[in-house]
Amino acid sequence: MLSRRETLLTALKAACGLSVSAASPLGTLLATPAAAQAALRPPSQWLFPFGAALRDGPLADEPDYRAAIVRHCRQVVGEGGLKWFDLRPSRDRFVFDQADMQLAFATENGMELRGHTLVWYGAMPDWTKTIASAAEAERELVRHIETVVGRYRGRIKSWDVINEPIPDDPSSRSDIRPSIWQQRLGESHIALALRTAARADPEAKLVINEFDIEFVGDRFRHKRDALLRLVRDLKLRNVPLHAVGLQGHLRGDLAIDMEGLSAFVSEMRSLGLEVLVTELDVVDDKLPGRPELRDMLVAARAYDFLRAIHAAARPAAVLTWGITDKYTWVPIWFKRSDGLANRPLPLDDGYRPKPLMRVLEHFGQGSR
Ligand code: G3I
């Protein structure tokens, strides 16, 4: 008779074509009884700092939420708070309340707050549409970065300076995603932002953060190629840039390009850049409904992703985009058609660890 674990692994194989035998590293780690986990290094001693994105509502109101973050995280990042939309309700005002609160929480609990984000096409307040010329764009961008990075100098040590610069389906290697900055200044806005951030805090780690570069398929290969072109060009011109952030919004229905992703990470390392995982989760709208199986599929996808990265280099940090399924951006765009709640994150909606947490622990121990 098949054990419960073998039944699940068989279902896993049937559902996603992944070859997960009970004897494989993934099969073994998913099957390790929870009790054995006590022997593992705690999150504070993982080989990379682990962290998660914070949401302000539960951070203010929910002790269980705060406890889960403190228990698991060495780094945090605001889901919002440092975006233009949150900081800049009007041209003349900067509102730092959300970010200050997040930083106070992080500092009180011995965690680092990452800064997200200075240049992004998304979450822009309407008034920025009135930026009419190159000179005005340069003035606004420089003022914003000087003010925000300057305020948190020495306290926010890692910034997603540039977020999502590559279009979904780039038409060439030099294609850059449209934004007010790209429209008014062209690609030079990227170097301008990085140089301004470096002046405002010379010690800060400056990051370009991107998604959809890890899957099998031409579109994703083109995105990798375009990001590589951009990063190489910046390094050639001595523009300050220290790391590339792989967001890692994985898709339950898309396989990881193991070789392509490893090669990309190696390429970044050979350019002298660190690689971070900044927004890991697994979009599960297309996965089977049964939670136990779905959680395994989510874990298996993240396992492949982290394995491909680790094959080239240990990431400088791994952050998930939220800690609990209770609070996730995923249903905003990827609600399930069967009405079941999404389960993209390491803890379930009752703050219980899921197989995805096992996978993170596994890599955090230094295992492959
Ligand atoms: O807070 C209100 C809530 O009161 C209201 O009921 C609800 C109705 O829609 O909206 C809530 O605000 C939403 C907020 O997310 C909740 O956290 C905003 O409308 C929505 O625009 C906001 O979306 C955020 C999105 O970025 C845009 O800023 C998501 O939280 C956040 O997870 C998402 O994060 C992005 C990263 O910055 C970049 N990479 C992709 C990632 C996921 O889309």
Side-chain angles (χ1 to χ4, degrees):
M1 196 166 123
L2 286 179
S3 68
R4 185 171 144 274
R5 165 184 146 204
E6 281 162 337
T7 313
L8 265 173
L9 293 173
T10 307
L12 189 59
K13 191 170 177 180
C16 66
L18 285 168
S19 173
V20 187
S21 72
S24 71
L26 175 61
T28 310
L29 91 93
L30 292 179
T32 308
Q37 301 296 310
L40 299 178
R41 300 166 202 253
S44 59
Q45 290 170 29
W46 287 6
L47 297 190
F48 48 73
F50 171 69
L54 294 175
R55 196 170 276 192
D56 289 337
L59 185 63
D61 302 340
E62 224 182 287
D64 286 352
Y65 177 87
R66 281 197 296 274
I69 295 281
V70 171
R71 169 155 186 226
H72 293 282
C73 299
R74 277 154 72 186
Q75 296 198 357
V76 285
V77 58
E79 258 193 280
L82 283 166
K83 293 174 176 171
W84 278 67
F85 185 83
D86 304 306
L87 284 174
R88 306 293 305 280
S90 67
R91 191 185 288 258
D92 300 320
R93 279 184 70 209
F94 285 80
V95 177
F96 291 108
D97 303 5
Q98 252 180 291
D100 283 356
M101 202 181 61
Q102 293 166 2
L103 183 58
F105 171 74
T107 310
E108 277 159 24
N109 291 289
M111 301 180 282
E112 295 281 349
L113 178 71
R114 298 199 63 247
H116 176 83
T117 174
L118 300 167
V119 177
W120 188 28
Y121 74 95
M124 291 294 277
D126 275 348
W127 67 263
T128 55
K129 291 185 189 141
T130 65
I131 295 173
S133 66
E136 189 185 348
E138 179 164 344
R139 205 165 50 238
E140 288 297 345
L141 188 59
V142 167
R143 174 168 169 244
H144 181 85
I145 294 174
E146 282 176 347
T147 308
V148 177
V149 176
R151 177 185 179 90
Y152 295 111
R153 181 179 171 137
R155 297 188 294 157
I156 292 185
K157 295 181 179 140
S158 173
W159 276 100
D160 292 333
V161 180
I162 310 292
N163 196 37
E164 304 176 358
I166 308 298
D168 287 345
D169 197 358
S171 59
S172 73
R173 286 181 183 216
S174 49
D175 205 1
I176 297 290
R177 192 185 279 277
S179 67
I180 191 70
W181 314 117
Q182 177 66 15
Q183 277 156 23
R184 299 289 176 258
L185 294 165
E187 190 177 320
S188 71
H189 78 275
I190 295 180
L192 174 69
L194 287 160
R195 289 198 165 110
T196 307
R199 267 200 318 276
D201 186 348
E203 300 299 318
K205 184 189 287 183
L206 308 182
V207 182
I208 293 187
N209 198 34
E210 190 51 274
F211 70 104
D212 266 6
I213 65 137
E214 53 273 319
F215 306 120
V216 173
D218 286 348
R219 179 158 89 74
F220 308 109
R221 186 167 44 78
H222 295 157
K223 250 189 115 153
R224 278 198 297 277
D225 289 347
L227 183 55
L228 184 56
R229 196 283 308 164
L230 172 64
V231 164
R232 265 198 197 129
D233 184 68
L234 292 165
K235 293 305 285 179
L236 262 176
R237 292 190 294 128
N238 274 329
V239 175
L241 172 68
H242 309 112
V244 164
L246 308 178
Q247 291 188 0
H249 291 295
L250 307 183
R251 302 282 294 263
D253 52 318
L254 294 181
I256 304 294
D257 183 338
M258 304 295 287
E259 278 178 23
L261 178 55
S262 290
F264 180 84
V265 172
S266 293
E267 191 73 46
M268 295 298 111
R269 295 297 296 139
S270 68
L271 289 168
L273 296 171
E274 288 187 344
V275 173
L276 292 82
V277 175
T278 51
E279 306 187 14
L280 181 61
D281 53 18
V282 183
V283 175
D284 62 339
D285 59 329
K286 304 252 171 32
L287 294 181
R290 192 175 146 207
E292 215 179 8
L293 173 58
R294 196 155 22 118
D295 290 349
M296 292 283 229
L297 292 167
V298 161
R301 196 61 85 209
Y303 177 80
D304 275 357
F305 175 68
L306 291 171
R307 191 159 58 92
I309 293 172
H310 276 84
R314 181 179 299 144
V318 176
L319 289 92
T320 46
W321 204 240
I323 192 76
T324 161
D325 293 337
K326 196 171 177 185
Y327 302 111
T328 159
W329 71 284
V330 170
I332 303 178
W333 286 32
F334 299 101
K335 229 183 226 327
R336 291 180 58 87
S337 58
D338 58 11
L340 294 174
N342 297 95
R343 302 176 65 87
L345 287 166
L347 305 181
D348 71 9
D349 59 4
Y351 297 99
R352 288 170 292 260
K354 294 161 54 195
L356 175 55
M357 187 56 98
R358 288 281 181 78
V359 166
L360 291 160
E361 277 164 355
H362 172 83
F363 287 98
Q365 307 304 309
S367 314
R368 297 281 169 88

